[in-house]
Amino acid sequence: MKKFCAMVFYLIFMYLNIYAEQPIILKKQGSFFIGGKSIKIEGKYDSKKWGRPQGQTRHGDHAYVFFQIPEKSRRYPVVFLHGASQSGKSWETTPDGRDGFQNIFLRHGYSTYILDRPRCGRAGLCLYSAKVGVANVDQLCFDIFRFGLWPNYYKNVQFPTDENSLKQFFCQTTPNIGGYDKKLIADTVSKLFDKVGEGILITHSQGCESGWYTAINNRKVRAIIAIEPASGFVFPEGECPGTIISSSGFLRTSSIAKSEFVKLTRIPIIMYYGDNIPDHPTDLQGQDNWYQRLKMARLWARTINKYGGNAKVIHLPEVGIYGNTHFMFMDKNNKQIADLIFKFLKEYSLDK
């Protein structure tokens, strides 16, 4: 009996060690600001007259970076760039309390650098007066991020459907202060790569546009993983589709010199799109929005590949993965999504 009990306890112990999440051991972590500049009002500062602006400076348009380096880290760090109305929180703990991509990638040995891009979150100070708009858009976000059609979730949705998780998601929304500037963001992210060296760039939604420009500007970007690019696809001059008008509004594209565009052919690029995206136009704006963007992403990838590049679009239902939303890195199967990325990185020997 004693031997049997000992064997049971041993098996339980082994099960817990194999399947329980192991502690993340870090060699270093910290945070810093990068990029930005300061402006100064002419005149001389007077310590006796605080209210006067003369001679005073203002810093802004920088990014905030939080980094973690595991004890045994792989060669290439991962830089995470969020999308509109978000911050670095996007990549942290999920709304229902599970590991987000930050911890998932750390557990796989990747150093992580998570930005709050200029004029967002903890980098909210810009260089000029800016009005922060206030709007009631929770239901719009529910629809456009493809959780469902308000107030009903899609039947197969992977986003956690409990009330508190949705509240947590809505609470992490943050305004874009001072306006969106794709090149300012790209220049700032490029400065981060200059600081940390060669690495992998993971972008989301609106942030994907700045990701393209970062890779064009900086050869230290070794690959781009773009999660549901939303706009800002760049084409060579003479091949730009222009602005697409649909029931969901405008999808803008832009053109750049061919000599700049072909720089995107230097690295592998992969784009992931989730589920509940129709294969035809529709008057349901939250769905039509992504029909147009998925269609444009495929055209963009073909254009890159025409010039000798290596760009892929993965529509998850086509590879047997269902129910994912615009925020697939928060979805209940986010580890499965991460595994696809790890497979992609291994394919190009970026997992060393």
Side-chain angles (χ1 to χ4, degrees), residues 35-41 56-62 125-127:
K37 58 183 179 180
S38 65
I39 55 176
K40 182 179 180 180
I41 295 177
Q56 297 209 52
T57 59
R58 176 183 179 89
H59 286 73
D61 286 356
H62 46 261
L125 194 60
C126 63
L127 291 176

Side-chain angles (χ1 to χ4, degrees), residues 89 93-98 159-160 164-166 168-169 172 330:
K89 174 67 179 77
T93 308
T94 65
D96 58 343
R98 292 170 293 107
F159 190 83
N164 186 62
S165 292
L166 186 59
Q168 287 288 315
F169 174 80
Q172 76 179 47
M330 299 180 191

Side-chain angles (χ1 to χ4, degrees), residues 78-81 91 101 105 200-204 225-227 341:
V78 178
V79 173
F80 291 95
L81 177 60
W91 310 103
F101 267 24
F105 276 75
I200 300 151
L201 180 58
I202 298 184
T203 60
H204 177 232
I225 294 100
I227 297 175
I341 296 174

Side-chain angles (χ1 to χ4, degrees), residues 42-78:
E42 291 184 3
K44 184 178 180 181
Y45 173 67
D46 188 341
S47 297
K48 298 177 182 179
K49 298 178 180 179
W50 285 2
R52 295 181 62 192
Q54 285 79 3
Q56 297 209 52
T57 59
R58 176 183 179 89
H59 286 73
D61 286 356
H62 46 261
Y64 170 88
V65 182
F66 178 68
F67 71 92
Q68 292 181 298
I69 301 173
E71 186 177 49
K72 296 180 180 179
S73 59
R74 299 178 189 265
R75 176 180 177 183
Y76 298 113
V78 178

